[in-house]
Amino acid sequence: MLTGKTAVITGGSRGIGAAIARAFAERGAQIAILYAGRTEAAEAVCSDCRALGVNALAYKCDVASFDQTKETVAAIRADFGNVHILVNNAGITRDGLIARMREEDYDAVLDTNLKGTFNMTRHCSGLFLRAKEGCIINMSSVSGLMGNAGQCNYAAAKAGLIGLTKSAARELAAKNIRVNAIAPGFIATDMTASFAEETIARSIPLQRMGRPEDVAQAAVFLAEAEYITGEVLRVDGGIAM
């Protein structure tokens, strides 16, 4: 159970982030979600969490900004007192073939998906040290393990997250702070809404796309598994095995 813990979830207003917020709330965690622009959606997720008997608040924040993340983490500390779990889930895509990819599209994906994770980890690490415990879950992707045509920016960011996860895990383990990553495959969210689900499913050994709740189950497991650090857990229906 996560009762008595405060969990910060970036990109928490929809999809995988929202499912993780609800799953953590069901386990008794207090919830702080960060979102980029959908205030109504973020508040709806908080309402769902509060209906489960926990406190839940939403914070608008661009995780690519070092200063905004610092201010937001300070606000969360003021509201909740401390932080015990950080889920770095915020991510964007700007797909395109490398020969035609615009520099700004490459930079935007790296800034949000990779630097955003650094920013949040950097600012939350002091709170973990204060709590004498911490759990960080970074949302990578099978694209970071396998590569994917048309996604050199996204795959580079997600592969970078694996390196960041393992390095931070080694650095922070002595302080009782665990750092792991989840590598989802094709999950049915807004980000994959344009994909042909039946075609995708044929390439997946389990013959279906994943659900946000499938990833949330893995996040709950990692949040509660006190002797696992530095791992990358695939939630992909077998596509990257």
Side-chain angles (χ1 to χ4, degrees):
M1 295 297 288
L2 301 177
T3 303
K5 309 290 188 185
T6 296
V8 176
I9 302 158
T10 71
S13 66
R14 56 179 176 159
I16 291 171
I20 292 173
R22 296 184 183 103
F24 281 11
E26 288 175 354
R27 305 290 289 179
Q30 312 298 313
I31 303 298
I33 65 171
L34 274 61
Y35 68 100
R38 300 189 178 190
T39 301
E40 289 186 5
E43 291 298 340
V45 175
C46 288
S47 179
D48 291 344
C49 293
R50 287 192 288 267
L52 295 167
V54 303
N55 188 22
L57 297 172
Y59 303 82
K60 188 173 183 178
C61 177
D62 176 6
V63 297
S65 167
F66 189 85
D67 290 339
Q68 280 192 42
T69 50
K70 182 178 181 179
E71 292 168 2
T72 300
V73 170
I76 293 170
R77 178 184 176 182
D79 291 334
F80 289 90
N82 216 335
V83 172
H84 307 88
I85 302 167
L86 169 63
V87 181
N88 286 305
N89 170 73
I92 62 171
T93 56
R94 297 287 188 274
D95 294 350
L97 296 175
I98 193 168
R100 296 196 294 269
M101 181 171 288
R102 300 182 304 169
E103 180 184 13
E104 53 265 38
D105 289 337
Y106 187 89
D107 289 347
V109 170
L110 269 290
D111 284 348
T112 295
N113 297 21
L114 183 56
K115 185 170 182 283
T117 295
F118 163 76
N119 289 340
M120 290 299 298
T121 301
R122 167 68 174 78
H123 298 312
C124 285
S125 59
L127 299 185
F128 295 146
L129 292 169
R130 180 170 175 256
K132 299 183 180 179
E133 65 172 299
C135 171
I136 301 170
I137 301 171
N138 296 327
M139 204 59 61
S140 183
S141 168
V142 293
S143 292
L145 297 170
M146 301 166 55
N148 195 27
Q151 286 194 318
C152 68
N153 50 2
Y154 186 76
K158 295 302 186 178
L161 278 176
I162 292 173
L164 176 58
T165 295
K166 291 181 177 292
S167 295
R170 288 185 178 276
E171 186 174 328
L172 297 172
K175 304 299 184 182
N176 196 32
I177 301 168
R178 299 179 296 106
V179 190
N180 293 290
I182 297 174
F186 290 103
I187 308 298
T189 66
D190 291 349
M191 191 177 287
T192 60
S194 63
F195 295 177
E197 185 168 348
E198 290 184 6
T199 302
I200 295 289
R202 286 196 291 269
S203 68
I204 301 171
L206 285 182
Q207 296 289 294
R208 69 170 177 86
M209 290 180 68
R211 300 178 296 266
E213 291 75 17
D214 295 321
V215 183
Q217 289 173 2
V220 168
F221 167 72
L222 290 175
E224 296 181 337
E226 295 182 353
Y227 201 58
I228 297 177
T229 195
E231 280 299 320
V232 180
L233 178 57
R234 291 186 296 108
V235 183
D236 66 350
I239 198 170
M241 67 178 170

